[in-house]
């Protein structure tokens, strides 16, 4: 009998509320290893909250998170997080290179200088996202797409096998989105596991392997083709959502 592979990320009965308002309710989800997974759902569905609660960045009312089968508190070195753009202070006086170097602090310590081997790794991460020429820039001087690349480079510098990305395509142009997707596919093919909060069902259908359809509770989860069916999308978004989604698909095609 074949053993079930250990998920990259698993949440069990995760519940989060803000005051009396439930944001996530009793969510069970298993995101597969070595896959590009999406969390999708309408505004206010709890997509970003799921990632933050899984990492302990917001308090939960109950539930458990496992990274590669281990409690998150003992597996933080196995996961990297790319936050939403609006969670960053873009006026902070820090350069692109210094942001990426932060990805090595868990290995080097906050008070130690980045050594030669660590600097070479930072260089490689900057090159992989096409930001080598911007290393000395202050992060506030960058475009939206460039900023996303920098924080993906910081996540790469952590060398964690699991990466959680919260709306990495927000505010970027089509060319940048395509280049980020290409990089995510390369990382997946190299064995990395990625969980991405995204809103465009057309992109998820064409570029992702697995999806969690969420609206406070789990609506459906599994391979993209089995999850993002018209019936499931209507359950998550409401009766008017599927015609809009079909129009997006027609435009994309």
């Amino acid at each position: 009998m074949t053993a079930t592979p250990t998920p990259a990320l698993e949440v069990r009965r995760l519940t989060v509320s803000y005051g009396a308002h439930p944001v996530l309710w009793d969510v069970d989800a298993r995101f597969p290893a070595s896959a590009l997974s999406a969390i999708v759902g309408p505004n206010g569905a709890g997509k970003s909250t799921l990632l933050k609660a899984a990492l302990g960045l917001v308090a939960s009312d109950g539930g458990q998170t496992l990274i590669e089968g281990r409690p998150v508190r003992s597996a933080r070195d196995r996961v990297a997080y790319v936050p939403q753009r609006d969670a960053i202070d873009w006026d902070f006086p820090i350069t692109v290179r210094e942001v990426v170097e932060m990805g090595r602090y868990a290995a080097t310590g906050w008070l130690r200088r980045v050594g030669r081997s660590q600097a070479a790794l930072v260089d490689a991460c900057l090159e992989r996202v096409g930001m080598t020429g911007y290393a000395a820039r202050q992060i506030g001087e960058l475009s939206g797409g460039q900023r996303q690349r920098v924080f993906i480079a910081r996540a790469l510098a952590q060398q964690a096998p699991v990466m959680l990305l919260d709306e990495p395509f927000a505010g970027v142009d089509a060319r940048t989105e395509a280049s980020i997707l290409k990089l995510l596919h390369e990382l997946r093919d190299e064995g990395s596991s990625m969980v991405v909060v995204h809103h465009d069902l057309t992109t998820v259908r064409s570029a992702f392997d697995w999806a969690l359809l969420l609206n406070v509770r789990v609506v459906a989860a599994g391979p993209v083709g089995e999850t993002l069916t018209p019936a499931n999308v209507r359950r998550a978004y409401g009766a008017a959502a599927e015609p809009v989604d079909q129009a997006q698909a027609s435009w994309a095609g």
Side-chain angles (χ1 to χ4, degrees), residues 53-126:
L55 293 171
L57 300 177
V58 298
S60 61
D61 301 319
Q64 182 183 23
T65 300
L66 302 175
I67 303 292
E68 298 182 321
R70 296 164 50 194
V72 66
R73 63 182 177 275
S74 63
R76 293 193 183 279
D77 62 329
R78 306 292 293 172
V79 60
Y81 174 57
V82 179
Q84 284 189 12
R85 288 173 53 196
D86 60 8
I88 309 299
D89 179 3
W90 300 109
D91 294 323
F92 191 77
I94 189 171
T95 67
V96 165
R97 183 178 188 84
E98 289 167 338
V99 171
V100 181
E101 287 177 349
M102 291 171 64
R104 299 306 305 153
Y105 287 170
T108 65
W110 284 85
L111 301 179
R112 294 179 62 185
R113 296 185 64 182
V114 174
R116 183 175 299 176
S117 63
Q118 305 289 349
L121 175 58
V122 170
D123 288 339
C125 294
L126 284 167

Side-chain angles (χ1 to χ4, degrees), residues 4 54 85 96 131 137 152 162 168 181 189 217 220 239 250:
T4 302
R85 288 173 53 196
V96 165
M131 291 298 292
R137 295 269 189 99
I152 290 173
V162 180
L181 275 172
D189 294 344
R217 298 176 182 266
S250 175

Side-chain angles (χ1 to χ4, degrees), residues 192-212:
S192 294
S193 310
M194 285 146 293
V195 179
V196 180
V197 171
H198 194 34
H199 68 276
D200 186 344
L201 299 183
T202 301
T203 301
V204 173
R205 285 189 173 113
S206 64
F208 285 71
D209 308 309
W210 195 96
L212 171 69

Side-chain angles (χ1 to χ4, degrees), residues 1-170:
M1 186 174 183
T2 304
T4 302
T6 302
L9 169 67
E10 181 177 3
V11 295
R12 298 175 177 173
R13 306 201 68 177
L14 187 63
T15 297
V16 178
S17 59
Y18 298 145
H21 178 63
V23 181
L24 293 173
W25 188 260
D26 209 23
V27 171
D28 286 318
R30 295 162 58 92
F31 298 89
S34 302
L36 181 55
S37 301
I39 302 173
V40 293
N43 291 336
K47 302 183 296 294
S48 296
T49 299
L50 192 157
L51 291 191
K52 293 175 184 177
L55 293 171
L57 300 177
V58 298
S60 61
D61 301 319
Q64 182 183 23
T65 300
L66 302 175
I67 303 292
E68 298 182 321
R70 296 164 50 194
V72 66
R73 63 182 177 275
S74 63
R76 293 193 183 279
D77 62 329
R78 306 292 293 172
V79 60
Y81 174 57
V82 179
Q84 284 189 12
R85 288 173 53 196
D86 60 8
I88 309 299
D89 179 3
W90 300 109
D91 294 323
F92 191 77
I94 189 171
T95 67
V96 165
R97 183 178 188 84
E98 289 167 338
V99 171
V100 181
E101 287 177 349
M102 291 171 64
R104 299 306 305 153
Y105 287 170
T108 65
W110 284 85
L111 301 179
R112 294 179 62 185
R113 296 185 64 182
V114 174
R116 183 175 299 176
S117 63
Q118 305 289 349
L121 175 58
V122 170
D123 288 339
C125 294
L126 284 167
E127 182 176 358
R128 188 154 196 186
V129 301
M131 291 298 292
T132 299
Y134 298 84
R137 295 269 189 99
Q138 193 270 340
I139 56 171
E141 300 174 1
L142 304 178
S143 69
Q146 290 167 342
R147 292 173 178 180
Q148 292 291 52
R149 292 171 188 260
V150 171
F151 279 87
I152 290 173
R154 184 184 70 170
L156 292 176
Q158 292 181 238
Q159 294 187 304
V162 180
M163 188 182 299
L164 310 183
L165 303 96
D166 193 355
E167 292 280 9
F169 307 116

